[in-house]
Amino acid sequence: MKLLTITTALGLMAGAAAAQDLRIALQSDADVLDPDQSRTFVGRIVYTSMCDKLVDISPELEIIPQLATEWSWNEDGTVLTMQLREDATFHDGTPFNAEAVVRNIERSQNLDESRRKSEVASIESAEATGEYEVTFTLGAPDATLISQFADRAGMMISPDAADAAGVEFGLNPVCSGPFKFQERIAQDRIVLERFDEYWNADAYHFDTVTFLPIPDTTVRFANLRSGDIDLLERLATADIPAAEADPGIEVQSATSLGYQGITFNVGNGDRADNPWGEDKRLRQALSLAIDRNALNQVVFDGSFVPGNQPFPPTSPWYDADHPVPERDVEAARALLAEAGYPDGIDLEVQAPNTNVPLQVMQVIQAMAAEAGINISITAKEFATMLTDQTAGDYTASQVGWSGRVDPDGNIHQFVTTEGGINDSGFSDETVDQALDAARTSNETEARKADYDSARDVLIDESPLVYLYHDAWVTALDAGIEGYVAYPDGMIRLEGVTMSE
């Protein structure tokens, strides 16, 4: 009997030792953990482990099944029918079925605080046409809808939990992914724990996943080298050579779908009533004062791609009629003088309080000064900065976008009058019409013409001054196996293991 007791104790100790926590360092803290309300890139990383979507993407950017197993369109592209998984459940035990999908879509459309409204605006009705079949009827063809379902608009949350919590759902989110929410301490950690009832649980090998916001890139990298974390997202380009030379570290990268730029407040509340919000010539002048190639070399060792549009120059959606401008300080000064500021003008730009954005803004600050633009930089915690953007409490903001598979996801919601993330407050009928039209066609040539039409206006008005397109560089412990870098920058843990 004593032998059995010792054996049992040893077994329990072995089980405890086998428990694994994967520690992931994020560049910043996530905002609210509610897919309908949130907008941060790092929040999407957390969701990838916590909240399954109707569909996902492959590393080659193909749309693949997740909670929806197959789908089909009617002949004119106005009715989408999806077949759903029959073995999925939410973390609180609520069944996942067609009725749950309908309630999710209705919440995205009707919740006052929802940022997904424009992403699902084409859906006139969602109907459970079977226990595991949902049918979406659209007001007009929407070429973007499937790709929207591969992101937050397609993330399914427990409708019962959402109804009970209302706007406070993000304090205790309940989804259906491989890991469920355990705890959150703001600016310190978000902890998820394994969900044993997950439909594909055998493919996930960690008991907990802890996300740690560490804004300082140098500290993040030092923590990886010391073993205090296991994986970090967005390795600084300056640290790539050291990471690649370290036998205990593996580096993976994928070209980003997104961009970085400067957003101007041109119509979002009282603070838009300033020269920068009222006169496009000033915004054009700043764009001309920036040497995008030099910026890429100085801050990123040439690892990124200079840009002036929401799509990189290598994208089939890029408008070649508006190439990346060369720096022209004299032209910038002439525009300032024409606008009534021959002796220069001040500009406050808010930026995330992390290394890379501040380095970017410091380089731009020096370039702009030569043209007579005196930039002051206000550093803010990222989620706070986004809150201020939404409220219109800013003049200009150095902010980016992680990118979407469909081009619509990089432009429509930022510059259309009713766009869900139009923090600029920009509004133009021609742009609205062109970008709405691009959503209704499945013909690439027709959509490209619409995007080009919108770009003609947006290049001139410059509510967003685009700077560059980055790469997602991930550094991880060499003991991690099975990890694959994706172009959307998300950290997917299916099939990923870590040796002790």
Side-chain angles (χ1 to χ4, degrees):
M1 190 69 176
K2 187 175 181 180
L3 178 61
L4 289 175
T5 302
I6 293 174
T7 302
T8 302
L10 289 173
L12 289 172
M13 290 173 62
Q20 280 193 316
D21 174 41
L22 183 69
R23 300 157 299 175
I24 299 174
L26 305 176
Q27 183 166 290
S28 57
D29 199 13
D31 58 348
V32 58
L33 292 177
D34 179 343
D36 279 326
Q37 298 186 64
S38 63
R39 59 179 293 175
T40 59
F41 172 73
V42 292
R44 290 175 61 221
I45 292 177
V46 176
Y47 290 140
T48 301
S49 290
M50 186 172 66
C51 301
D52 270 8
K53 307 178 292 285
L54 290 174
V55 296
D56 200 6
I57 65 168
S58 71
E60 296 75 34
L61 301 180
E62 300 169 312
I63 302 293
I64 59 175
Q66 195 165 73
L67 287 172
T69 57
E70 57 183 290
W71 51 90
S72 60
W73 291 94
N74 71 339
E75 189 172 341
D76 67 0
T78 58
V79 178
L80 170 66
T81 302
M82 284 186 149
Q83 307 301 320
L84 306 175
R85 302 199 66 87
E86 300 182 16
D87 54 354
T89 186
F90 292 102
H91 298 152
D92 62 355
T94 301
F96 171 76
N97 52 29
E99 186 60 36
V101 175
V102 171
R103 292 169 68 185
N104 267 268
I105 297 302
E106 290 175 346
R107 184 178 192 264
S108 295
Q109 292 179 321
N110 299 320
L111 182 73
D112 288 343
E113 295 80 8
S114 173
R115 295 183 179 278
R116 310 283 81 83
K117 291 179 181 179
S118 65
E119 298 168 13
V120 294
S122 62
I123 301 175
E124 287 196 341
S125 67
E127 181 183 359
T129 47
E131 185 175 3
Y132 296 102
E133 179 182 273
V134 62
T135 299
F136 303 99
T137 301
L138 314 186
D142 182 358
T144 75
L145 188 60
I146 291 291
S147 65
Q148 301 289 8
F149 285 161
D151 198 0
R152 279 174 286 218
M155 292 176 187
M156 295 292 105
I157 64 177
S158 167
D160 290 347
D163 286 349
V167 73
E168 302 297 329
F169 175 83
L171 297 177
N172 186 27
V174 182
C175 294
S176 65
F179 298 90
K180 61 183 179 179
F181 180 78
Q182 183 184 96
E183 69 167 343
R184 178 178 192 176
I185 299 175
Q187 305 300 325
D188 182 72
R189 65 182 180 271
I190 296 171
V191 183
L192 310 182
E193 61 180 312
R194 177 184 170 86
F195 180 48
D196 291 332
E197 287 75 41
Y198 183 62
W199 60 270
N200 192 25
D202 290 345
Y204 292 84
H205 306 285
F206 300 102
D207 296 280
T208 56
V209 180
T210 300
F211 297 94
L212 303 162
I214 304 176
D216 191 303
T217 56
T218 302
V219 174
R220 275 207 310 281
F221 184 44
N223 284 355
L224 179 64
R225 301 185 87 168
S226 68
D228 290 330
I229 62 170
D230 307 304
L231 183 152
L232 67 83
E233 56 98 11
R234 281 178 285 183
L235 177 70
T237 53
D239 291 328
I240 291 176
E244 291 179 334
D246 191 325
I249 295 175
E250 179 184 350
V251 177
Q252 291 198 26
S253 66
T255 302
S256 167
L257 300 171
Y259 61 81
Q260 289 287 329
I262 297 175
T263 296
F264 285 90
N265 184 354
V266 302
N268 186 359
D270 293 342
R271 286 200 60 180
D273 297 333
N274 68 81
W276 291 94
E278 295 170 347
D279 196 331
K280 66 184 180 182
R281 292 170 296 186
L282 300 182
R283 303 189 293 270
Q284 293 170 352
L286 177 64
S287 182
L288 286 169
I290 299 170
D291 187 329
R292 290 164 171 81
N293 289 300
L295 177 68
N296 181 37
Q297 292 295 330
V298 171
V299 182
F300 305 112
D301 294 325
S303 299
F304 293 169
V305 178
N308 68 324
Q309 298 180 32
F311 324 117
T314 54
S315 168
W317 304 104
Y318 186 80
D319 186 353
D321 290 339
H322 300 289
V324 177
E326 295 292 332
R327 188 186 191 213
D328 192 334
V329 174
E330 292 307 313
R333 283 189 172 276
L335 282 169
L336 293 185
E338 183 181 317
Y341 300 95
D343 298 323
I345 186 173
D346 296 337
L347 171 64
E348 179 190 13
V349 181
Q350 63 175 8
N353 62 343
T354 54
N355 300 47
V356 172
L358 292 177
Q359 290 171 12
V360 167
M361 280 312 308
Q362 287 162 0
V363 173
I364 291 175
Q365 183 182 51
M367 292 176 175
E370 295 180 16
I373 300 171
N374 306 308
I375 294 177
S376 61
I377 304 168
T378 301
K380 296 182 179 180
E381 188 274 324
F382 189 58
T384 300
M385 189 185 85
L386 293 183
T387 298
D388 290 346
Q389 274 184 213
T390 300
D393 188 14
Y394 77 107
T395 301
S397 189
Q398 197 286 291
V399 68
W401 182 242
S402 53
R404 298 296 182 268
V405 175
D406 189 277
D408 178 89
N410 274 22
I411 187 170
H412 189 284
Q413 59 191 332
F414 298 97
V415 293
T416 53
T417 302
E418 300 298 328
I421 314 181
N422 185 358
D423 292 340
S424 179
F426 178 77
S427 180
D428 182 272
E429 185 176 354
T430 298
V431 170
D432 289 351
Q433 291 176 350
L435 296 183
D436 286 346
R439 286 183 155 185
T440 65
S441 174
N442 287 313
E443 298 296 327
T444 299
E445 186 174 341
R447 296 187 76 196
K448 177 67 163 59
D450 288 327
Y451 288 125
D452 288 352
S453 176
R455 291 305 315 155
D456 290 342
V457 176
L458 292 167
I459 287 286
D460 181 56
E461 292 289 340
S462 297
L464 281 77
V465 173
Y466 300 93
L467 301 172
Y468 62 89
H469 306 271
D470 49 17
W472 303 125
V473 183
T474 305
L476 53 154
D477 187 285
I480 295 177
E481 296 182 355
Y483 181 79
V484 177
Y486 277 67
D488 63 356
M490 296 300 100
I491 297 172
R492 291 171 172 83
L493 298 179
E494 181 177 356
V496 177
T497 61
M498 181 170 62
S499 61
E500 292 290 345

